[in-house]
Amino acid sequence: MRNALDTCAVSTGSPAPDPLGPSERLELIARPRPAPALPLFADAASRRRSLPLAEPRPQDSAQRPLIAVWELTLRCDLTCRHCGSRAGRARPGELTTPECLDLVDQLAELGTREIAIIGGAAYLREDWLEIVAAIRRHGILPTMTTGGRGMTRERAESVARAGLHSASVSVDGEEVTHDRLRGVQGSHRAALDAIANLHAAGVPVGANTQINRLSMPELPRVFERLAAAGIRSWQIQLTVAMGRAVDEPDVLLQPYDLVALFPMLADLVHRAEQAGVDLVAGNNVGYFGPYERLLRGRTRRGYACGCGAGRTTIGIEADGTIKGCPSLGTREWAGGNIRDESLRDIWERATPLRYTRDRTARDLWGYCATCYYADECRAGCTWTADVLFGRPGNNPYCHHRATQLEKQGLRERLVRVHAAPGEPFDRGLFELVLEPSPRPHEGRDP
C-alpha cells in the first residue's frame, strides 16, 4: 500500500463543514417530502423465484455467510428518506414462523455467527421474540438495527430476555433534521428513548447514522449527544441513491463533498476513542485516502478490501428471497428463495451471489478501472455504484478519487436523469459530470 494509508493528519476541530448554504438548508428542510406511498406491491418480476442454479464449485463451498442481515418484515412505523426498500407495508407472503425457525437452522448449518434483524420494524412481527430466542439457542449472536420509534421499555425488556446480544438505534441528525429524514415528528425523541430503554434492560446499545447533505454538518453534535446517552459503538454510512433517496437527490452528498467530510470523520474517530465509543465506518465510507488507516485500522487488513456481499455476508428479504447483501436490488441480485431451494444451494450455487467471489479488476470501468488501488478495492461497495449507473464497477463516492481530482482542479457531480419507479429496492439513473472545481470564492453548486 502507498504511504497515504499511514498519513493520518488530524483535524483541528474547526467548525463542521456544511455543503449547503444557510438559506439552501432551510429551504430543503422545509420542502415538502415526496409522497411516501408504496404500491400494494411491486409486480411479480421483482420477486424472483425458481432461479437456475449453477454447478457446484469448491471455492463457493469454502465461503461462509458469517453475518446475515434479515429483514423480518417490510412493515414499518417510519417513512425514512433514505429507505431503499420503501418500507411501510408488509410484503405479501412473508415467511411464516415455522419457515423462519427453519431458516435459523439452515443459517446455523452454514456457519453464520451473527444474525442482524432489521425491517421495516422487526418488532412489528408478532413472533420476533421467538425468532430472536431461536437464534440465541443456536449459539449465533442475535443483533438488531432499529429506528426505535416503538422500542418501549416493555419491548426492550422482552427482547433482552429473549437473548438479544446488542442493538443499534438510528439517529440521523439533530431533532429537526432527524425528524425530517425519518418522516415522523417525534422520531428523534423516540430514538433517544429507545437507547435509554434498551440500556435499562441490559442490552448493549450502539447507534448508526446516515450521512447526507442535511446530516453532515451536524455529525459532531450528534456524536456528543449519543456519547452522553451511553452508546458503545457508532456506525456511519453514506446515504445511497436507492428507493426513497432517489426521489430527493438534493439530499444526497455529491462525490466532491467527501473532500470536506473525511477530515471531520478523522476528528470524530479521535473524539470517539476518548469517549470509549467504537466508531465503525460502513462499507461505502471509502476509500484509500489519507484517513483510511485511521478509519479501518482495527480490521484484519487495516484497509478496505472490497465488497463482502456473497463472501462473508448474506441478505434475506421477508418473503425468503436471498441476496448477497440486504441492500442490493431484488430484480438483479436475488439468488433464489428458500421456499424453492435450500439455503446452502442458493449460497453456493446462485450466480448473483457469486459476483464478488469472481470479480476482478477487469470488471471495473470509468475512473475505478484506472485507479492504483483497483485490484484491492474493486470499486468498493457494489450497491452504491449499481444503483447510480445500473451496473457496478465504478464508484464515485471515494475519498482517494475525490482528492486526486481536486489536485487536478476537477470534481465529479451526479445528476439524476431518470426517477425511480416507486418499488421496493428500486433505483433511478444518474449521470456523472466531470467539471472544473470552483475556487472557494466562486460559490456553491450551479
Side-chain angles (χ1 to χ4, degrees), residues 5 292-304:
L5 286 176
E292 180 72 8
R293 190 79 71 185
L294 187 63
L295 287 165
R296 292 189 170 88
R298 285 179 292 171
T299 61
R300 183 169 63 88
R301 294 189 181 180
Y303 56 87

Side-chain angles (χ1 to χ4, degrees), residues 305-338:
C305 50
C307 178
R311 294 191 295 140
T312 57
T313 63
I314 190 170
I316 305 165
E317 293 184 1
D319 63 358
T321 299
I322 303 299
K323 303 179 292 189
C325 167
S327 301
L328 290 168
T330 307
R331 289 177 182 269
E332 299 81 9
W333 296 98
N337 191 290
I338 63 162

Side-chain angles (χ1 to χ4, degrees), residues 225-259:
R225 182 180 289 272
L226 292 173
I231 63 166
R232 296 189 178 187
S233 64
W234 185 34
Q235 178 167 316
I236 52 174
Q237 181 103 355
L238 306 185
T239 299
V240 173
M242 174 178 255
R244 293 196 191 106
V246 187
D247 303 339
E248 201 169 21
D250 290 348
V251 172
L252 300 171
L253 289 180
Q254 285 290 346
Y256 56 81
D257 290 331
L258 302 189
V259 175

Side-chain angles (χ1 to χ4, degrees), residues 27-312:
E27 188 276 330
L28 191 54
I29 286 285
R31 184 188 303 171
R33 286 167 33 114
L38 181 67
L40 287 178
F41 200 73
D43 59 68
S46 69
R47 289 174 284 159
R48 305 179 71 185
R49 298 286 301 270
S50 302
L51 297 176
L53 296 177
E55 291 299 313
R57 305 182 308 184
Q59 61 264 44
D60 299 304
S61 59
Q63 304 284 344
R64 284 292 172 261
L66 302 180
I67 301 175
V69 183
W70 185 355
E71 171 205 277
L72 286 190
T73 179
L74 202 59
R75 187 179 171 198
C76 195
D77 49 15
L78 296 169
T79 57
C80 301
R81 180 72 271 135
H82 65 274
C83 184
S85 62
R86 299 182 182 269
R89 300 173 180 170
R91 291 182 186 275
E94 294 189 347
L95 296 177
T96 65
T97 302
E99 287 173 328
C100 287
L101 299 180
D102 179 69
L103 179 54
V104 174
D105 293 341
Q106 293 189 61
L107 286 164
E109 290 172 2
L110 275 178
T112 300
R113 298 177 184 174
E114 177 183 343
I115 299 176
I117 60 171
I118 61 170
Y123 51 70
L124 295 180
R125 266 193 77 117
E126 292 184 358
D127 58 359
W128 75 296
L129 296 175
E130 187 175 355
I131 295 168
V132 170
I135 295 169
R136 193 74 190 214
R137 281 197 302 272
H138 276 288
I140 302 171
L141 297 180
T143 62
M144 180 182 190
T145 298
T146 176
R149 184 183 176 197
M151 185 53 69
T152 62
R153 176 68 65 90
E154 293 73 23
R155 277 190 173 129
E157 292 172 347
S158 294
V159 77
R161 288 193 296 270
L164 188 70
H165 178 264
S166 62
S168 179
V169 178
S170 303
V171 179
D172 292 326
E174 296 189 284
E175 185 171 6
V176 171
T177 296
H178 176 99
D179 287 359
R180 165 67 165 75
L181 291 170
R182 291 275 160 178
V184 175
Q185 292 295 314
S187 59
H188 184 267
R189 181 67 263 167
L192 296 179
D193 288 345
I195 293 173
N197 291 338
L198 288 161
H199 184 75
V203 177
V205 190
N208 59 86
T209 298
Q210 292 280 321
I211 305 177
N212 49 58
R213 287 192 144 195
L214 290 177
S215 67
M216 176 176 154
E218 298 178 359
L219 292 179
R221 296 188 295 276
V222 170
F223 169 73
E224 295 299 333
R225 182 180 289 272
L226 292 173
I231 63 166
R232 296 189 178 187
S233 64
W234 185 34
Q235 178 167 316
I236 52 174
Q237 181 103 355
L238 306 185
T239 299
V240 173
M242 174 178 255
R244 293 196 191 106
V246 187
D247 303 339
E248 201 169 21
D250 290 348
V251 172
L252 300 171
L253 289 180
Q254 285 290 346
Y256 56 81
D257 290 331
L258 302 189
V259 175
L261 172 65
F262 271 73
M264 179 172 65
L265 296 184
D267 184 61
L268 286 170
V269 168
H270 291 291
R271 292 167 66 176
E273 289 176 347
Q274 293 168 1
V277 175
D278 184 18
L279 190 151
V280 181
N283 293 335
N284 71 348
V285 178
Y287 305 95
F288 293 101
Y291 307 109
E292 180 72 8
R293 190 79 71 185
L294 187 63
L295 287 165
R296 292 189 170 88
R298 285 179 292 171
T299 61
R300 183 169 63 88
R301 294 189 181 180
Y303 56 87
C305 50
C307 178
R311 294 191 295 140
T312 57

